[in-house]
Amino acid sequence: MCEKKPFYITTPIYYPSGNPHIGHCYTTVACDSIARYKRMQGYDVMFLTGTDEHGQKIEQKAADKGITPKAYVDEIVEIFKKLWDYMNIDYDRYIRTTDDYHVESVQKIFKALYDKGYIYKGEYSGKYCTPCESFWTDSQLVDGKCPECGRDVIEAKEEAYFFRMSDFAQRIEKLLTETDFLQPKTRAVELVNNFIKPGLEDLCVSRTSFTWGVPVTFDEKHVVYVWIDALSNYITALGYENNAYSDFNKYWPADTHMVAKDIMRFHAIIWPAMLMALELPLPKHLAVHGWITFNGQKMSKSLGNVVDPFVLGERYGADAIRYHILREMALGADSSFSNEIMINRINSDLANGLGNLVSRTVAMIDKYFGGTLPFEREAGEFDDDLMNTALTLKATVDDYIEKTQINNALAEIFKVVSRANKYIDETTPWVLGKDESKKARLATVLYNLLESIRVASTLLSAFMPTTMPKVFEQIGATDYATYEYADKWNVLPLDTTVARGEVLFPRIDVDKEIEELNAIIQKNVEKAQAEEQKSEKKIEGLAQIGIDDFCKVELRVAQIKECEKVKKSKKLLKLTLLDGEGERTVASGIANYYEPEELIGKKVILVANLKPATLCKVESHGMILAASMGEDVNVIFVDDSVEVGSRIS
């Protein structure tokens, strides 16, 4: 027996700063479907997913909840794993960056890069986006904001280690422009023009301003910064520089890394540079997909439009959700998610298309032949066209899977479903059933329908693994639904016996369902607004403290450089403050009392060491002091003669 050819596919490791949503589902379901298809083809598949659990944001969220970072991520990881089980995700390995073996490997990788001269110590001074945990130069900012998420950045200055990315600029440009590494390749121009042509910046790879991370072994006040820690997972999970696994030589290089476009840069530029520095082979392909948008907006908890996949799965079944998101998303493009699109897709393709084809075929065999087809056959018009349509399907789907174009693969499968439904109309089996002399022809028509269903559902089983075994059972194909037979005809026994079963995809009342889903979404919006109000009250409120606590508070004179209203909030103003060390953003609940323009240039008292908080998508680093007088609020302004940055004691 020939040894199976290995195939290695990965999702990104997800950041567990909150519960998973339908956007996480797309990448994972897509990788799961490709992994299942490759297993069906006979490959020895390694399918990796996991969670990226270190960083400042996790540390802050854990502190807000009053628990340790490890306890915080443990809770979220369990939800991720529960969802993957619910969505029938058959991963082979799950890596957590808090796993001991991964920590060991990352420390060795960091030291190896340092010893090779690719990592050096310096000082970082520039712009930093806390939500994305990314450093940016002024030229990379878009309208002064983070180019990835659009949020405000802050001035950051600290000692750090840097990775010599610039050493690899030319090789990475050739990788992106002269090979098929990046899929779709149209993304390559964007990356080269934005990051390589202006001059590839060296990368900050350690931090000292937080402790929740992998310690640098030779300088323990530093922790390894997110991307060397996170990106290394693809090789540490195979046993690179650890003894937990021994699969590295077998599966590396990866056949496909799949990521969303917001982390494309890190995987297309930083990760190849790391591997080049380590003198390791590069992944064969990086497949980049877009975002799932909701009514034209990127899904966001603050907008209350995050679609809970558990809710959808309970209403329609995991396979229907898997099918919908895979069918709608074209590689490289965004996909619009709406209740109406989803329900119509389920009704048209699954209920009216596949479900109806199976139920009609099985019902007619049951009605005309008592559930078991006779041996006699009679060929006729339309048979060859149906057969040829079905038998060319496997090669076409194979090609689309190779290109990571899952939506096109599914479209081809459903062309066979549509052709089979049309074949019913063309051959009119209900008319044949009335003529005793046409029984052989009727048996042929129904047998051809079973064969077309077998071919389509066999290939579809990689994408809808829960439902297709039910189809096989109903059409009597359980022992014949294999990849080997997916391009062959006359596979089922001539006297196949069918078994009527449950309705595979019940038709949904569109208007009623949309009304109910909209009610659920409205509750999410109200919940998000309530959390916003709670956060605003929290930042504006004062707790009773002792003198020891008061001595910990740092009050500093700051000047308001810019001021604007915060979208989605009636209370908040976003202040850009000069605090003597740089700029920082503060969200303040004073919008009902001041117009933005009247505050610009004013000097205020800043609580400089208040823990950051995110309010209506604005990350607030501090609080300004104000006095409450009945229903009025007056900001405490400082005389112009007091210098910005002065401490108040």
Side-chain angles (χ1 to χ4, degrees):
M1 179 180 291
C2 295
E3 186 176 349
K4 290 183 176 181
K5 185 178 179 181
F7 181 84
Y8 183 29
I9 187 169
T10 71
T11 72
I13 50 174
Y14 302 111
Y15 201 53
S17 58
N19 291 340
H21 54 71
I22 202 74
H24 297 102
C25 283
Y26 174 78
T27 320
T28 315
V29 168
C31 287
D32 177 71
S33 298
I34 293 172
R36 287 176 181 274
Y37 198 90
K38 288 293 182 179
R39 290 190 197 106
M40 191 164 62
Q41 289 179 310
Y43 284 82
D44 180 356
V45 173
M46 171 61 69
F47 169 26
L48 175 71
T49 190
T51 32
D52 170 19
E53 301 176 18
H54 290 127
Q56 188 174 22
K57 186 159 55 173
I58 295 291
E59 189 175 73
Q60 290 172 353
K61 284 183 172 288
D64 290 342
K65 291 189 70 173
I67 58 177
T68 66
K70 184 61 164 61
Y72 177 84
V73 293
D74 283 348
E75 290 179 5
I76 305 295
V77 166
E78 283 306 305
I79 298 173
F80 269 91
K81 288 187 173 181
K82 180 181 177 183
L83 177 59
W84 300 154
D85 182 61
Y86 187 74
M87 295 299 292
N88 215 336
I89 305 298
D90 188 19
Y91 55 80
D92 296 290
R93 198 161 292 168
Y94 191 104
I95 187 171
R96 301 179 60 179
T97 55
T98 51
D99 289 334
D100 290 342
Y101 76 87
H102 175 76
V103 171
E104 174 192 353
S105 295
V106 168
Q107 289 178 324
K108 290 179 179 177
I109 290 169
F110 195 94
K111 183 64 162 57
L113 293 172
Y114 179 78
D115 290 343
K116 286 172 176 283
Y118 290 120
I119 285 180
Y120 63 92
K121 183 184 282 190
E123 182 178 77
Y124 181 83
S125 179
K127 304 299 190 293
Y128 179 66
C129 176
T130 302
C132 291
E133 301 204 42
S134 298
F135 290 102
W136 303 98
T137 63
D138 286 326
S139 64
Q140 291 171 336
L141 299 178
V142 177
D143 297 327
K145 301 181 185 297
C146 173
E148 296 290 355
C149 70
R151 295 180 176 91
D152 288 323
V153 293
I154 60 172
E155 289 287 342
K157 186 176 183 180
E158 63 180 275
E159 180 184 273
Y161 285 94
F162 291 82
F163 174 50
R164 297 185 190 277
M165 289 282 294
S166 50
D167 288 3
F168 304 97
Q170 193 171 22
R171 291 173 63 185
I172 292 171
E173 182 173 353
K174 287 185 177 181
L175 173 71
L176 296 176
T177 58
E178 298 179 10
T179 75
D180 63 350
F181 167 71
L182 188 62
Q183 298 176 331
K185 195 171 180 178
T186 50
R187 295 280 188 187
V189 175
E190 169 189 343
L191 287 169
V192 169
N193 288 342
N194 290 347
F195 298 103
I196 296 179
K197 292 294 187 186
L200 191 56
E201 300 278 343
D202 286 351
L203 180 72
C204 179
V205 291
S206 80
R207 299 293 303 279
T208 59
S209 56
F210 60 91
T211 60
W212 180 238
V214 177
V216 175
T217 54
F218 52 89
D219 195 345
E220 291 198 356
K221 70 178 180 179
H222 288 258
V223 295
V224 179
Y225 187 47
V226 58
W227 293 110
I228 281 188
D229 178 9
L231 290 166
S232 296
N233 92 90
Y234 302 123
I235 54 177
T236 66
L238 300 178
Y240 182 79
E241 293 290 5
N242 67 70
N243 295 319
Y245 299 104
S246 56
D247 306 301
F248 180 77
N249 290 333
K250 180 179 183 180
Y251 290 111
W252 192 258
D255 292 270
T256 301
H257 289 320
M258 182 174 288
V259 301
K261 64 182 180 181
D262 53 342
I263 55 174
M264 169 179 63
R265 175 176 71 98
F266 309 109
H267 286 79
I269 297 177
I270 298 173
W271 180 223
M274 285 173 56
L275 292 168
M276 290 172 185
L278 293 169
E279 299 179 27
L280 294 175
L282 302 184
K284 297 173 187 176
H285 297 295
L286 174 66
V288 179
H289 64 79
W291 289 323
I292 295 180
T293 61
F294 190 90
N295 293 332
Q297 298 172 303
K298 185 182 177 185
M299 290 193 181
S300 165
K301 287 186 175 65
S302 62
L303 296 177
N305 67 7
V306 172
V307 178
D308 187 339
F310 286 109
V311 172
L312 298 179
E314 287 169 6
R315 299 181 79 89
Y316 317 118
D319 271 6
I321 307 308
R322 285 175 64 111
Y323 175 75
H324 172 66
I325 58 178
L326 293 175
R327 184 67 179 84
E328 289 294 324
M329 178 76 81
L331 188 69
D334 290 345
S335 168
S336 178
F337 187 102
S338 76
N339 300 333
E340 189 170 2
I341 292 173
M342 176 184 60
I343 295 167
N344 286 331
R345 174 70 71 184
I346 291 172
N347 278 345
S348 63
D349 291 11
L350 301 183
N352 296 346
L354 179 62
N356 191 40
L357 174 63
V358 173
S359 64
R360 291 170 78 189
T361 302
V362 171
M364 286 188 289
I365 295 173
D366 195 49
K367 176 180 179 180
Y368 297 123
F369 298 109
T372 301
L373 289 175
F375 286 98
E376 293 77 15
R377 293 289 183 268
E378 179 186 328
E381 191 180 4
F382 310 115
D383 294 358
D384 288 346
D385 188 55
L386 174 64
M387 180 178 68
N388 291 334
T389 302
L391 294 185
T392 57
L393 177 63
K394 186 170 86 167
T396 305
V397 173
D398 285 356
D399 183 57
Y400 280 129
I401 292 297
E402 201 64 31
K403 297 174 182 175
T404 329
Q405 296 178 10
I406 298 175
N407 65 314
N408 290 333
L410 289 171
E412 291 299 321
I413 293 172
F414 274 81
K415 284 181 183 177
V416 172
V417 172
S418 297
R419 183 66 191 88
N421 274 316
K422 182 181 178 183
Y423 178 76
I424 294 177
D425 296 334
E426 291 168 335
T427 55
T428 60
W430 53 90
V431 175
L432 298 173
K434 297 176 181 178
D435 188 342
E436 200 60 36
S437 67
K438 297 294 184 181
K439 289 293 184 181
R441 176 59 186 151
L442 176 59
T444 303
V445 168
L446 296 175
Y447 180 83
N448 287 342
L449 289 170
L450 290 180
E451 282 288 78
S452 59
I453 295 169
R454 175 188 60 79
V455 169
S457 57
T458 296
L459 299 178
L460 199 55
S461 64
F463 312 97
M464 305 177 70
T466 303
T467 309
M468 291 310 105
K470 299 175 183 177
V471 175
F472 304 153
E473 186 176 344
Q474 290 193 28
I475 67 171
T478 300
D479 296 331
Y480 306 96
T482 64
Y483 180 80
E484 177 189 1
Y485 292 142
D487 57 356
K488 295 177 174 59
W489 205 252
N490 294 325
V491 171
L492 290 172
L494 292 178
D495 61 341
T496 292
T497 298
V498 299
R500 298 184 74 168
E502 63 185 45
V503 175
L504 298 172
F505 303 102
R507 184 169 175 79
I508 302 168
D509 183 323
V510 178
D511 293 338
K512 179 181 177 183
E513 193 66 16
I514 288 177
E515 183 179 346
E516 292 182 12
L517 285 176
N518 285 344
I520 293 172
I521 291 170
Q522 182 58 36
K523 286 183 180 179
N524 289 342
V525 173
E526 292 170 359
K527 182 179 178 181
Q529 291 172 343
E531 289 176 353
E532 173 195 332
Q533 292 171 0
K534 182 180 177 182
S535 297
E536 289 176 2
K537 290 177 182 177
K538 183 177 179 182
I539 198 169
E540 293 168 3
L542 294 173
Q544 291 185 345
I545 58 175
I547 188 64
D548 291 338
D549 291 320
F550 178 74
C551 290
K552 298 176 184 177
V553 179
E554 181 178 329
L555 300 177
R556 192 185 304 174
V557 174
Q559 187 171 33
I560 301 174
K561 178 184 177 183
E562 298 174 3
C563 182
E564 61 183 272
K565 293 183 177 181
V566 175
K567 295 178 180 179
K568 304 293 184 181
S569 175
K570 296 178 180 179
K571 297 181 179 180
L572 291 177
L573 291 180
K574 185 177 79 170
L575 311 175
T576 301
L577 302 180
L578 302 174
D579 64 2
E581 295 181 357
E583 293 185 7
R584 67 167 72 198
T585 299
V586 169
S588 181
I590 56 174
N592 292 332
Y593 311 100
Y594 293 91
E595 292 298 322
E597 54 270 17
E598 66 180 296
L599 294 174
I600 295 174
K602 299 287 188 182
K603 291 182 178 179
V604 295
I605 299 174
L606 168 71
V607 182
N609 60 339
L610 188 68
K611 187 183 301 180
T614 300
L615 307 175
C616 289
K617 301 173 73 173
V618 175
E619 187 153 6
S620 181
H621 293 263
M623 180 173 70
I624 64 170
L625 298 189
S628 298
M629 301 186 305
E631 295 183 356
D632 292 329
V633 171
N634 285 351
V635 174
I636 299 175
F637 296 113
V638 179
D639 190 271
D640 281 343
S641 62
V642 183
E643 291 187 5
V644 170
S646 300
R647 266 60 173 182
I648 296 175
S649 59

